[in-house]
Amino acid sequence: MIEFHLDGRSGVAPYLQLVQQVRRALRLGLLREGDQLPTVKDVVARLAINPNTVLKAYRELEHDGLVAARPGVGTFVTRSLTDASLAAHGPLRQDLRHWLAEARLAGLDDESIEALFMTTFRTTARADVA
């Protein structure tokens, strides 16, 4: 089961952070069809957020056809976002772990690592489009 977390410094609305986390877990194969999402009550208790925030996230996921609510039972994954590239994740994850270790040895903290990765990712993505 997925465990949600919120980053108050991200500038992203809490409900959207929950949606993104579910989508990411579906894409990485961490959540599969038939898996149950945490109950609204459990998410509210764990994150100390408004129940309407969780409901809004779950409704958006339902609107996207990724989950379905079963009254009195819970919310369940109805579709996966994994594709054929999932097999490549293992070796790429290992390469990324190695890169992260090198970045930490170079003295970068988590925020610096994330900034370096995201700026490089965005620059590369723009270059690929051009």
Side-chain angles (χ1 to χ4, degrees):
M1 185 178 291
I2 190 170
E3 284 193 30
F4 294 115
H5 60 276
L6 295 176
D7 180 358
R9 299 176 300 145
S10 73
V12 177
Y15 89 92
L16 198 50
Q17 289 184 50
L18 299 179
V19 170
Q20 290 171 344
Q21 289 172 45
V22 169
R23 293 183 69 83
R24 192 174 304 123
L26 289 169
R27 192 166 310 288
L28 294 173
L30 302 174
L31 278 176
R32 293 188 166 88
E33 206 171 309
D35 287 349
Q36 184 174 4
L37 295 183
T39 64
V40 172
K41 184 178 178 180
D42 288 344
V43 177
V44 167
R46 187 172 188 291
L47 300 178
I49 60 174
N50 189 306
N52 290 330
T53 301
V54 183
L55 288 169
K56 183 174 182 179
Y58 283 14
R59 276 194 305 271
E60 183 165 322
L61 290 163
E62 192 167 14
H63 180 265
D64 292 344
L66 299 174
V67 302
R70 297 184 196 154
V73 180
T75 303
F76 294 85
V77 174
T78 57
R79 185 166 68 94
S80 174
L81 293 175
T82 60
D83 58 22
S85 71
L86 187 59
H89 287 202
L92 290 170
R93 184 174 285 121
Q94 188 62 33
D95 290 347
L96 187 54
R97 282 188 182 125
H98 178 73
W99 181 84
L100 287 168
E102 286 184 20
R104 286 196 175 94
L105 283 173
L108 278 70
D109 62 8
D110 287 351
E111 284 185 36
S112 297
I113 290 170
E114 185 177 354
L116 176 60
F117 177 83
M118 290 309 297
T119 56
T120 304
F121 177 79
R122 287 188 182 112
T123 302
T124 303
R126 274 188 238 119
D128 289 346
V129 170

